[in-house]
Amino acid sequence: MSFRFNQENTIKIASLLNRYPQKKALILPLLWLAQKQEGFISDAAMKNISEFLELPLMHVYSVASFYTMFRFAKNEKKVIEVCRTLSCELNGSEDIKKYIQSNYSDRFEIVEVECMGACSGAPMCTLEGKYFENVTPQKIDKVFNDN
Amino acid sequence: MITKIVSKNFEILNSHTMAVALENGRYASLENLFLQKPREIIDTISQSGLRGKGGGGAHAGSKWQLAADTQGTKYLVVNADESEPGTFKDRQILSKDPHLLIEGIICTCYAIGSHISYIYVRGEYEEFSDILQSAIDEAYEKNIIGSGAQYPLDITVHRGGGAYICGEKSALLESLEGNRGHPRLKPHTPQAESYFGEPALVNNVETIASVPFIVENGAEAYRAYGTEKSPGTLLFALSGHVEKPGVYEAEFGLGMWEYIHTLGGGVKNGKMLKAVIPGGASTPILPAHLVQEAKLDYESLKSLGTELGTGGMILLDEDASMVKALKNLLRFYHHESCGQCTPCREGTSWVDKTLDKFIAKTATTEDLKILKSVSKSMNGKTICVFAPAASGVINGFLKHFENEFLECIQ
Ligand SMILES: Cc1cc2nc3c(=O)[nH]c(=O)nc-3n(C[C@H](O)[C@H](O)[C@H](O)COP(=O)(O)O)c2cc1C
Ligand code: SF4
Ligand code: FES
């Protein structure tokens, strides 16, 4: 498998190059563009990034794997994240997690995450990165069944 | 009781767009800005007593001076990593008034002599950083920033990849350079932070968003709010067991209980308060009787053995289990340790596992000793203050609620 950035991303990358004093700073922006383009970060994409930035492949891999938001395999299912940190737990996130797990685990991949900066809307979850706050089983049914 | 300086435009419809922002006073401070010399702006910020709102409360003026005095190409890096549990204030600025942030960046860059600014936004905030990006695009179109602006300046949004530790300023700069987000060893003498070897100023979103008010109205106008040592306002926030969770800007120095009661509507479902974690998950817990005494400023909270932190208060009601709450926080620390220092990497893992025994009510007196000694070993000899903060959290729970832990011992 090979990887090339599409034309739209290639244009974006050209303008990003002017924004940083060293090319190396582009690792995170390029990883994001690659993940957007393919839905995950393939070995070929990392190789492409390492060649473009003239950095060892190991460096790109070590950086990419440090962060929790990069995926290294294609997701067959859409991702639901459920916050489990204190403000959400105090407002019933464990019950929400159980509800989602027992009703939606066949269609979605369910991941527990730490505080998402939405504590006033606890309990909260996301669907494909979009925030849903003050969730209840009813609200979950409504949102997830539309997707 | 609400005092709106930073949150003035939050409720205005479409305040994130240029047209509405301009109608509501955004970019008005620039006129005053360019009438003054950069030095004078730094002096004004110093006199205003503005303190960093990212958790540490450092004096902004001194940091700016240090960056201005350091030779080299200067960078302003805005910290929008906001990942401290219980903290969700910067997000309000990014999505409801991004032009206020841009205006603050222009003022700050002018003062320290920087023409390049990055806003490092936590990866999860994609929806909100998209709003910020459109505001930046609009500012470029209007030549408010860019090469054609009165003060040439580039602003770039840099999206994080999901890692709490990248909120620590040196880890953030490492991440921004294209490395893993590992905190750096601190120099012994005060120095400007560095980005690829050049001087960098790192400030929190809300700190920068407070600047236009001061530039426009002067230091005294800011000092008219708050206390002598904690001047101005903060976007304090409430979550957990509270009736009306949210972000409510207020002057420093208000009574904590008064704030919770008046703005937050008190404890959820009319229950009694057991405790408050005052300023994000990393600040030691305050039991209810101390909440009555506490004032919302740096000095008062310090005297009560805790910290103001980010001002994000988490309430726990009379039925909350302190063992369960501590377990929740230690799981967070274990998950988020960057792993560079042994006391932190091993310690957070150990206390997290030890707490499981308390939850299962199978703990022994030995386990309580372990908890205390591991906590002690985490407080010292680490590269950043993440591990000492975790230690402070454990000590706070044990100091005020040890009886609940003793009840879990076989
Ligand atoms: C573990 C850790 C996490 C931090 N997270 C953040 C954060 O998410 N946002 C922030 O502004 N500051 C955070 N800080 C504080 C920064 O290191 C830094 O002090 C701050 O961004 C400086 O800006 P200020 O002086 O305007 O507050 C964190 C510090 C530590 C030790
Ligand atoms: S104290 Fe913990 S988070 Fe901080 S540098 Fe050391 S291992 Fe990393
Ligand atoms: S604790 Fe869940 S969003 Fe903050």
Short mmCIF file of all heavy atoms in Angstrom, two decimals, chain A residues 19-22 24-25 32 36 59 62 66-69 84 86-87 89-91 94 115-118 120 130-131 133, chain B residues 75 88 91 118 122 125-127 140 155-156 158-162 175-176 178-181 196 239-241 268 324 328 331:
data_model
loop_
_atom_site.label_atom_id
_atom_site.label_comp_id
_atom_site.label_asym_id
_atom_site.label_seq_id
_atom_site.Cartn_x
_atom_site.Cartn_y
_atom_site.Cartn_z
N ARG A 19 4.42 28.47 8.12
CA ARG A 19 3.95 28.88 9.44
C ARG A 19 4.89 28.51 10.57
O ARG A 19 4.72 28.97 11.69
CB ARG A 19 2.57 28.26 9.71
CG ARG A 19 1.46 28.77 8.82
CD ARG A 19 1.23 30.23 9.12
NE ARG A 19 0.15 30.78 8.34
CZ ARG A 19 -0.95 31.30 8.88
NH1 ARG A 19 -1.11 31.31 10.18
NH2 ARG A 19 -1.87 31.81 8.10
N TYR A 20 5.82 27.60 10.30
CA TYR A 20 6.66 27.11 11.40
C TYR A 20 8.13 27.30 11.04
O TYR A 20 8.50 27.20 9.87
CB TYR A 20 6.39 25.62 11.63
CG TYR A 20 4.97 25.34 12.09
CD1 TYR A 20 3.95 25.07 11.18
CD2 TYR A 20 4.65 25.35 13.45
CE1 TYR A 20 2.65 24.82 11.60
CE2 TYR A 20 3.35 25.09 13.89
CZ TYR A 20 2.36 24.83 12.96
OH TYR A 20 1.07 24.58 13.40
N PRO A 21 8.98 27.55 12.06
CA PRO A 21 10.40 27.78 11.79
C PRO A 21 11.11 26.51 11.31
O PRO A 21 12.13 26.60 10.64
CB PRO A 21 10.96 28.25 13.14
CG PRO A 21 9.99 27.79 14.17
CD PRO A 21 8.66 27.73 13.49
N GLN A 22 10.61 25.34 11.69
CA GLN A 22 11.23 24.09 11.23
C GLN A 22 10.15 23.11 10.79
O GLN A 22 9.08 23.05 11.38
CB GLN A 22 12.06 23.45 12.36
CG GLN A 22 13.32 24.25 12.67
CD GLN A 22 14.23 23.51 13.66
OE1 GLN A 22 14.19 22.28 13.77
NE2 GLN A 22 15.04 24.27 14.37
N LYS A 24 9.89 20.04 11.14
CA LYS A 24 9.56 19.03 12.12
C LYS A 24 8.25 19.32 12.87
O LYS A 24 7.51 18.41 13.24
CB LYS A 24 10.72 18.97 13.12
CG LYS A 24 10.69 17.84 14.06
CD LYS A 24 11.95 17.94 14.91
CE LYS A 24 11.79 17.18 16.17
NZ LYS A 24 12.70 17.67 17.21
N ALA A 25 7.98 20.62 13.05
CA ALA A 25 6.78 21.03 13.79
C ALA A 25 5.50 20.58 13.09
O ALA A 25 4.41 20.63 13.67
CB ALA A 25 6.78 22.54 13.98
N TRP A 32 -2.78 14.63 11.57
CA TRP A 32 -4.22 14.92 11.54
C TRP A 32 -4.75 14.87 10.11
O TRP A 32 -5.82 14.30 9.86
CB TRP A 32 -4.53 16.28 12.17
CG TRP A 32 -4.67 16.22 13.66
CD1 TRP A 32 -3.94 16.89 14.59
CD2 TRP A 32 -5.61 15.42 14.40
NE1 TRP A 32 -4.36 16.57 15.86
CE2 TRP A 32 -5.38 15.68 15.78
CE3 TRP A 32 -6.62 14.52 14.04
CZ2 TRP A 32 -6.13 15.06 16.79
CZ3 TRP A 32 -7.35 13.91 15.05
CH2 TRP A 32 -7.10 14.18 16.40
N LYS A 36 -7.55 12.31 8.75
CA LYS A 36 -8.77 12.82 8.11
C LYS A 36 -8.96 12.17 6.75
O LYS A 36 -10.06 11.78 6.36
CB LYS A 36 -8.65 14.35 7.92
CG LYS A 36 -9.14 15.14 9.10
CD LYS A 36 -10.49 15.80 8.79
CE LYS A 36 -11.34 15.94 10.03
NZ LYS A 36 -11.00 17.12 10.82
N HIS A 59 10.78 8.14 14.69
CA HIS A 59 10.38 9.37 15.38
C HIS A 59 8.89 9.65 15.13
O HIS A 59 8.14 9.97 16.05
CB HIS A 59 11.23 10.56 14.94
CG HIS A 59 10.88 11.84 15.66
ND1 HIS A 59 11.36 12.14 16.91
CD2 HIS A 59 10.06 12.86 15.32
CE1 HIS A 59 10.86 13.30 17.31
NE2 HIS A 59 10.06 13.76 16.36
N SER A 62 6.90 7.20 17.08
CA SER A 62 6.96 7.42 18.53
C SER A 62 6.09 8.62 18.92
O SER A 62 5.44 8.62 19.96
CB SER A 62 8.43 7.57 18.95
OG SER A 62 8.64 8.74 19.68
N PHE A 66 2.27 8.48 21.02
CA PHE A 66 2.21 9.15 22.33
C PHE A 66 0.81 9.70 22.59
O PHE A 66 0.36 9.75 23.74
CB PHE A 66 3.23 10.30 22.36
CG PHE A 66 3.24 11.08 23.65
CD1 PHE A 66 3.86 10.57 24.78
CD2 PHE A 66 2.62 12.32 23.73
CE1 PHE A 66 3.86 11.29 25.97
CE2 PHE A 66 2.62 13.04 24.92
CZ PHE A 66 3.24 12.53 26.04
N TYR A 67 0.13 10.10 21.54
CA TYR A 67 -1.17 10.76 21.69
C TYR A 67 -2.30 9.75 21.57
O TYR A 67 -2.19 8.79 20.82
CB TYR A 67 -1.30 11.87 20.64
CG TYR A 67 -0.20 12.90 20.76
CD1 TYR A 67 0.96 12.82 20.00
CD2 TYR A 67 -0.30 13.93 21.69
CE1 TYR A 67 1.98 13.75 20.14
CE2 TYR A 67 0.72 14.86 21.85
CZ TYR A 67 1.85 14.76 21.07
OH TYR A 67 2.85 15.68 21.23
N THR A 68 -3.39 10.02 22.30
CA THR A 68 -4.45 9.00 22.33
C THR A 68 -5.42 9.09 21.16
O THR A 68 -6.20 8.18 20.94
CB THR A 68 -5.29 9.13 23.62
OG1 THR A 68 -5.81 10.48 23.67
CG2 THR A 68 -4.47 8.85 24.86
N MET A 69 -5.38 10.19 20.41
CA MET A 69 -6.43 10.37 19.41
C MET A 69 -6.11 9.80 18.02
O MET A 69 -6.95 9.83 17.13
CB MET A 69 -6.80 11.85 19.28
CG MET A 69 -7.44 12.39 20.56
SD MET A 69 -7.92 14.10 20.40
CE MET A 69 -9.42 13.94 19.44
N ARG A 84 -15.49 9.46 31.78
CA ARG A 84 -15.60 8.74 33.05
C ARG A 84 -15.03 9.53 34.22
O ARG A 84 -14.96 9.01 35.34
CB ARG A 84 -14.85 7.41 32.94
CG ARG A 84 -13.35 7.59 32.80
CD ARG A 84 -12.65 6.25 32.73
NE ARG A 84 -11.20 6.42 32.75
CZ ARG A 84 -10.33 5.43 32.57
NH1 ARG A 84 -10.77 4.21 32.33
NH2 ARG A 84 -9.04 5.64 32.61
N LEU A 86 -14.40 12.63 37.15
CA LEU A 86 -15.19 12.84 38.37
C LEU A 86 -16.55 13.53 38.19
O LEU A 86 -17.56 13.00 38.64
CB LEU A 86 -14.34 13.58 39.41
CG LEU A 86 -14.94 13.65 40.82
CD1 LEU A 86 -15.27 12.26 41.36
CD2 LEU A 86 -13.98 14.36 41.76
N SER A 87 -16.58 14.69 37.52
CA SER A 87 -17.87 15.40 37.42
C SER A 87 -18.89 14.56 36.68
O SER A 87 -20.08 14.60 36.99
CB SER A 87 -17.68 16.74 36.71
OG SER A 87 -16.77 17.53 37.43
N GLU A 89 -18.80 11.16 36.54
CA GLU A 89 -19.14 10.02 37.40
C GLU A 89 -20.15 10.43 38.47
O GLU A 89 -21.11 9.70 38.74
CB GLU A 89 -17.87 9.46 38.06
CG GLU A 89 -18.16 8.23 38.92
CD GLU A 89 -16.89 7.61 39.49
OE1 GLU A 89 -16.16 6.96 38.71
OE2 GLU A 89 -16.62 7.78 40.69
N LEU A 90 -19.97 11.60 39.05
CA LEU A 90 -20.89 12.07 40.09
C LEU A 90 -22.30 12.27 39.53
O LEU A 90 -23.27 12.30 40.26
CB LEU A 90 -20.39 13.38 40.71
CG LEU A 90 -19.09 13.31 41.53
CD1 LEU A 90 -18.60 14.71 41.89
CD2 LEU A 90 -19.26 12.46 42.79
N ASN A 91 -22.38 12.44 38.22
CA ASN A 91 -23.69 12.65 37.60
C ASN A 91 -24.16 11.45 36.77
O ASN A 91 -24.96 11.61 35.85
CB ASN A 91 -23.65 13.92 36.76
CG ASN A 91 -23.68 15.17 37.63
OD1 ASN A 91 -24.68 15.48 38.26
ND2 ASN A 91 -22.56 15.87 37.69
N GLU A 94 -21.50 6.17 34.91
CA GLU A 94 -21.37 4.71 34.88
C GLU A 94 -22.64 4.06 34.32
O GLU A 94 -22.57 3.10 33.54
CB GLU A 94 -21.08 4.18 36.29
CG GLU A 94 -19.64 4.38 36.68
CD GLU A 94 -19.42 4.17 38.17
OE1 GLU A 94 -20.04 4.90 38.97
OE2 GLU A 94 -18.65 3.28 38.53
N CYS A 115 -11.77 13.43 31.26
CA CYS A 115 -12.49 14.71 31.15
C CYS A 115 -12.33 15.40 29.79
O CYS A 115 -11.24 15.63 29.30
CB CYS A 115 -12.01 15.66 32.25
SG CYS A 115 -12.88 17.25 32.24
N MET A 116 -13.44 15.72 29.20
CA MET A 116 -13.47 16.31 27.86
C MET A 116 -13.70 17.82 27.90
O MET A 116 -13.94 18.45 26.88
CB MET A 116 -14.57 15.65 27.04
CG MET A 116 -14.39 14.15 26.84
SD MET A 116 -13.09 13.78 25.66
CE MET A 116 -14.00 14.00 24.12
N GLY A 117 -13.70 18.41 29.09
CA GLY A 117 -13.95 19.85 29.19
C GLY A 117 -15.41 20.18 28.96
O GLY A 117 -15.74 21.21 28.38
N ALA A 118 -16.27 19.29 29.41
CA ALA A 118 -17.71 19.51 29.24
C ALA A 118 -18.41 19.19 30.56
O ALA A 118 -19.55 18.73 30.56
CB ALA A 118 -18.24 18.63 28.12
N SER A 120 -19.85 20.79 32.87
CA SER A 120 -21.15 21.38 33.23
C SER A 120 -22.27 20.65 32.52
O SER A 120 -23.44 20.82 32.85
CB SER A 120 -21.19 22.87 32.89
OG SER A 120 -20.94 23.04 31.52
N LYS A 130 -18.18 14.51 17.94
CA LYS A 130 -19.14 15.58 18.26
C LYS A 130 -19.66 15.42 19.68
O LYS A 130 -19.98 14.32 20.11
CB LYS A 130 -20.29 15.55 17.24
CG LYS A 130 -21.18 16.77 17.31
CD LYS A 130 -22.19 16.78 16.17
CE LYS A 130 -23.35 17.71 16.43
NZ LYS A 130 -23.05 18.95 17.15
N TYR A 131 -19.72 16.53 20.42
CA TYR A 131 -20.11 16.48 21.83
C TYR A 131 -21.62 16.37 22.02
O TYR A 131 -22.39 17.07 21.37
CB TYR A 131 -19.66 17.76 22.55
CG TYR A 131 -18.20 17.80 22.96
CD1 TYR A 131 -17.20 17.39 22.09
CD2 TYR A 131 -17.82 18.27 24.22
CE1 TYR A 131 -15.86 17.44 22.47
CE2 TYR A 131 -16.49 18.33 24.59
CZ TYR A 131 -15.52 17.91 23.72
OH TYR A 131 -14.20 17.97 24.09
N GLU A 133 -24.09 16.55 25.48
CA GLU A 133 -24.02 16.80 26.91
C GLU A 133 -25.35 16.51 27.60
O GLU A 133 -26.39 16.42 26.94
CB GLU A 133 -23.59 18.25 27.16
CG GLU A 133 -22.25 18.56 26.47
CD GLU A 133 -21.66 19.91 26.81
OE1 GLU A 133 -22.13 20.56 27.76
OE2 GLU A 133 -20.71 20.31 26.11
N TYR B 75 8.07 34.23 20.17
CA TYR B 75 6.82 33.52 19.89
C TYR B 75 5.85 33.70 21.05
O TYR B 75 6.27 33.64 22.21
CB TYR B 75 7.09 32.03 19.71
CG TYR B 75 7.95 31.71 18.51
CD1 TYR B 75 9.34 31.58 18.66
CD2 TYR B 75 7.39 31.57 17.24
CE1 TYR B 75 10.14 31.30 17.56
CE2 TYR B 75 8.19 31.30 16.14
CZ TYR B 75 9.56 31.16 16.30
OH TYR B 75 10.35 30.90 15.22
N PHE B 88 -13.59 24.05 32.17
CA PHE B 88 -14.17 24.12 30.82
C PHE B 88 -14.45 25.57 30.44
O PHE B 88 -15.42 25.89 29.78
CB PHE B 88 -15.47 23.29 30.75
CG PHE B 88 -16.33 23.42 31.99
CD1 PHE B 88 -17.39 24.33 32.04
CD2 PHE B 88 -16.08 22.65 33.11
CE1 PHE B 88 -18.17 24.46 33.18
CE2 PHE B 88 -16.85 22.78 34.26
CZ PHE B 88 -17.90 23.68 34.30
N ARG B 91 -12.82 26.95 26.67
CA ARG B 91 -13.70 26.53 25.59
C ARG B 91 -14.79 27.58 25.31
O ARG B 91 -15.17 27.78 24.16
CB ARG B 91 -14.33 25.21 26.06
CG ARG B 91 -15.38 24.70 25.19
CD ARG B 91 -16.04 23.50 25.85
NE ARG B 91 -17.38 23.37 25.33
CZ ARG B 91 -18.26 22.50 25.77
NH1 ARG B 91 -17.95 21.68 26.76
NH2 ARG B 91 -19.44 22.44 25.23
N TYR B 118 1.04 30.93 18.13
CA TYR B 118 0.35 29.64 17.96
C TYR B 118 -0.69 29.50 19.06
O TYR B 118 -0.45 29.91 20.20
CB TYR B 118 1.34 28.47 18.07
CG TYR B 118 2.45 28.54 17.05
CD1 TYR B 118 3.74 28.91 17.43
CD2 TYR B 118 2.20 28.26 15.71
CE1 TYR B 118 4.76 28.99 16.48
CE2 TYR B 118 3.20 28.34 14.77
CZ TYR B 118 4.48 28.71 15.15
OH TYR B 118 5.47 28.80 14.23
N ARG B 122 -6.53 21.66 22.55
CA ARG B 122 -6.61 20.20 22.76
C ARG B 122 -7.36 19.56 21.60
O ARG B 122 -8.35 20.12 21.08
CB ARG B 122 -7.24 19.86 24.12
CG ARG B 122 -8.72 20.11 24.24
CD ARG B 122 -9.27 19.66 25.59
NE ARG B 122 -9.28 18.21 25.73
CZ ARG B 122 -9.79 17.55 26.76
NH1 ARG B 122 -10.36 18.22 27.76
NH2 ARG B 122 -9.76 16.24 26.81
N TYR B 125 -11.22 19.31 21.16
CA TYR B 125 -12.01 20.53 20.94
C TYR B 125 -12.14 20.86 19.45
O TYR B 125 -12.12 22.04 19.09
CB TYR B 125 -11.36 21.72 21.66
CG TYR B 125 -11.68 21.85 23.13
CD1 TYR B 125 -12.47 20.92 23.80
CD2 TYR B 125 -11.20 22.93 23.87
CE1 TYR B 125 -12.75 21.06 25.16
CE2 TYR B 125 -11.48 23.07 25.23
CZ TYR B 125 -12.25 22.13 25.86
OH TYR B 125 -12.52 22.28 27.20
N GLU B 126 -12.31 19.89 18.59
CA GLU B 126 -12.34 20.17 17.15
C GLU B 126 -13.45 21.16 16.78
O GLU B 126 -13.21 22.12 16.05
CB GLU B 126 -12.51 18.87 16.38
CG GLU B 126 -12.33 19.08 14.88
CD GLU B 126 -12.38 17.78 14.08
OE1 GLU B 126 -12.88 16.77 14.61
OE2 GLU B 126 -11.93 17.80 12.93
N GLU B 127 -14.66 20.90 17.31
CA GLU B 127 -15.78 21.80 16.97
C GLU B 127 -15.46 23.24 17.34
O GLU B 127 -15.84 24.18 16.63
CB GLU B 127 -17.02 21.44 17.81
CG GLU B 127 -17.72 20.17 17.44
CD GLU B 127 -18.75 19.81 18.53
OE1 GLU B 127 -19.70 20.59 18.74
OE2 GLU B 127 -18.59 18.75 19.17
N TYR B 140 -7.88 37.80 9.14
CA TYR B 140 -6.93 37.94 8.02
C TYR B 140 -7.56 38.73 6.89
O TYR B 140 -6.94 39.64 6.33
CB TYR B 140 -6.50 36.56 7.50
CG TYR B 140 -5.25 36.01 8.15
CD1 TYR B 140 -5.33 35.00 9.10
CD2 TYR B 140 -4.00 36.48 7.79
CE1 TYR B 140 -4.18 34.48 9.70
CE2 TYR B 140 -2.83 35.96 8.37
CZ TYR B 140 -2.93 34.96 9.33
OH TYR B 140 -1.79 34.46 9.92
N ILE B 155 -1.23 34.15 13.07
CA ILE B 155 -1.77 33.30 14.14
C ILE B 155 -2.11 31.93 13.54
O ILE B 155 -2.84 31.86 12.55
CB ILE B 155 -3.04 33.91 14.78
CG1 ILE B 155 -2.75 35.31 15.34
CG2 ILE B 155 -3.58 33.00 15.87
CD1 ILE B 155 -3.96 35.99 15.97
N THR B 156 -1.57 30.88 14.13
CA THR B 156 -1.81 29.52 13.63
C THR B 156 -2.40 28.66 14.73
O THR B 156 -1.88 28.64 15.85
CB THR B 156 -0.48 28.89 13.15
OG1 THR B 156 0.12 29.78 12.20
CG2 THR B 156 -0.70 27.53 12.49
N HIS B 158 -2.88 25.18 16.32
CA HIS B 158 -2.17 23.90 16.31
C HIS B 158 -2.97 22.92 17.15
O HIS B 158 -3.22 23.16 18.32
CB HIS B 158 -0.77 24.10 16.91
CG HIS B 158 0.18 22.98 16.64
ND1 HIS B 158 1.02 22.97 15.54
CD2 HIS B 158 0.42 21.84 17.32
CE1 HIS B 158 1.75 21.86 15.57
NE2 HIS B 158 1.41 21.15 16.63
N ARG B 159 -3.37 21.84 16.52
CA ARG B 159 -4.26 20.91 17.20
C ARG B 159 -3.49 19.81 17.92
O ARG B 159 -2.68 19.12 17.31
CB ARG B 159 -5.20 20.31 16.15
CG ARG B 159 -6.33 19.54 16.75
CD ARG B 159 -7.36 19.15 15.69
NE ARG B 159 -8.26 18.21 16.30
CZ ARG B 159 -8.85 17.23 15.66
NH1 ARG B 159 -8.66 17.08 14.35
NH2 ARG B 159 -9.66 16.41 16.29
N GLY B 160 -3.75 19.65 19.21
CA GLY B 160 -3.11 18.59 19.98
C GLY B 160 -3.66 17.23 19.59
O GLY B 160 -4.57 17.12 18.79
N GLY B 161 -3.07 16.18 20.20
CA GLY B 161 -3.47 14.82 19.80
C GLY B 161 -4.09 14.03 20.94
O GLY B 161 -4.27 12.82 20.82
N GLY B 162 -4.45 14.72 22.04
CA GLY B 162 -5.04 13.99 23.15
C GLY B 162 -3.97 13.53 24.12
O GLY B 162 -3.45 12.43 24.00
N SER B 175 5.70 19.41 22.28
CA SER B 175 4.69 18.90 21.35
C SER B 175 4.61 19.79 20.11
O SER B 175 4.52 19.32 18.98
CB SER B 175 3.34 18.83 22.06
OG SER B 175 2.33 18.46 21.18
N LEU B 176 4.69 21.09 20.34
CA LEU B 176 4.62 22.06 19.24
C LEU B 176 5.86 21.99 18.34
O LEU B 176 5.83 22.41 17.19
CB LEU B 176 4.46 23.46 19.84
CG LEU B 176 4.09 24.63 18.96
CD1 LEU B 176 2.71 24.43 18.33
CD2 LEU B 176 4.07 25.93 19.78
N GLY B 178 7.13 19.17 17.55
CA GLY B 178 7.03 17.91 16.81
C GLY B 178 7.58 16.73 17.56
O GLY B 178 7.98 15.72 16.97
N ASN B 179 7.63 16.83 18.89
CA ASN B 179 8.12 15.72 19.71
C ASN B 179 6.99 15.15 20.56
O ASN B 179 5.88 15.68 20.55
CB ASN B 179 9.22 16.21 20.65
CG ASN B 179 10.39 16.79 19.86
OD1 ASN B 179 10.74 16.27 18.81
ND2 ASN B 179 10.95 17.87 20.37
N ARG B 180 7.30 14.10 21.31
CA ARG B 180 6.35 13.64 22.32
C ARG B 180 6.18 14.74 23.35
O ARG B 180 7.13 15.49 23.60
CB ARG B 180 6.91 12.39 23.03
CG ARG B 180 7.13 11.23 22.12
CD ARG B 180 7.76 10.07 22.88
NE ARG B 180 7.13 8.86 22.40
CZ ARG B 180 6.60 7.92 23.17
NH1 ARG B 180 6.66 8.02 24.47
NH2 ARG B 180 6.01 6.88 22.65
N GLY B 181 5.02 14.80 23.97
CA GLY B 181 4.77 15.87 24.94
C GLY B 181 5.37 15.57 26.30
O GLY B 181 4.65 15.33 27.26
N PHE B 196 12.17 25.97 19.72
CA PHE B 196 13.30 25.78 18.83
C PHE B 196 14.44 26.74 19.18
O PHE B 196 15.06 27.37 18.32
CB PHE B 196 12.90 25.97 17.36
CG PHE B 196 12.09 24.83 16.79
CD1 PHE B 196 10.81 25.04 16.30
CD2 PHE B 196 12.60 23.54 16.73
CE1 PHE B 196 10.06 24.00 15.76
CE2 PHE B 196 11.86 22.48 16.20
CZ PHE B 196 10.59 22.71 15.71
N SER B 239 -19.17 22.37 38.72
CA SER B 239 -19.68 21.10 38.18
C SER B 239 -19.75 20.09 39.32
O SER B 239 -19.43 20.41 40.45
CB SER B 239 -18.78 20.59 37.04
OG SER B 239 -17.53 20.19 37.55
N GLY B 240 -20.17 18.90 39.01
CA GLY B 240 -20.38 17.88 40.05
C GLY B 240 -21.80 17.96 40.57
O GLY B 240 -22.74 18.16 39.80
N HIS B 241 -21.94 17.84 41.90
CA HIS B 241 -23.27 17.87 42.49
C HIS B 241 -23.75 19.29 42.73
O HIS B 241 -23.87 19.75 43.87
CB HIS B 241 -23.27 17.13 43.84
CG HIS B 241 -23.12 15.64 43.68
ND1 HIS B 241 -22.41 14.86 44.55
CD2 HIS B 241 -23.63 14.79 42.75
CE1 HIS B 241 -22.47 13.58 44.17
NE2 HIS B 241 -23.20 13.52 43.07
N LYS B 268 -26.96 20.06 44.39
CA LYS B 268 -27.99 19.41 43.58
C LYS B 268 -29.02 18.68 44.45
O LYS B 268 -28.65 18.06 45.45
CB LYS B 268 -27.28 18.41 42.65
CG LYS B 268 -28.10 17.97 41.46
CD LYS B 268 -27.23 17.12 40.53
CE LYS B 268 -28.04 16.32 39.56
NZ LYS B 268 -27.20 15.45 38.72
N LYS B 324 -14.40 6.44 46.52
CA LYS B 324 -14.69 6.33 45.10
C LYS B 324 -14.20 7.56 44.32
O LYS B 324 -13.65 7.44 43.23
CB LYS B 324 -16.22 6.18 44.93
CG LYS B 324 -16.57 5.40 43.72
CD LYS B 324 -18.01 4.96 43.67
CE LYS B 324 -18.29 4.60 42.23
NZ LYS B 324 -19.52 5.19 41.72
N ASN B 328 -11.37 7.63 41.40
CA ASN B 328 -11.60 8.22 40.08
C ASN B 328 -10.43 9.12 39.68
O ASN B 328 -9.91 9.04 38.56
CB ASN B 328 -12.91 9.02 40.12
CG ASN B 328 -13.30 9.54 38.75
OD1 ASN B 328 -12.60 10.36 38.18
ND2 ASN B 328 -14.42 9.06 38.21
N ARG B 331 -7.12 7.14 39.05
CA ARG B 331 -7.16 6.46 37.75
C ARG B 331 -6.76 7.46 36.65
O ARG B 331 -6.01 7.15 35.74
CB ARG B 331 -8.57 5.92 37.50
CG ARG B 331 -8.71 5.15 36.20
CD ARG B 331 -10.12 4.61 36.04
NE ARG B 331 -11.10 5.69 36.01
CZ ARG B 331 -12.42 5.51 36.02
NH1 ARG B 331 -12.93 4.28 36.06
NH2 ARG B 331 -13.25 6.52 35.98
#
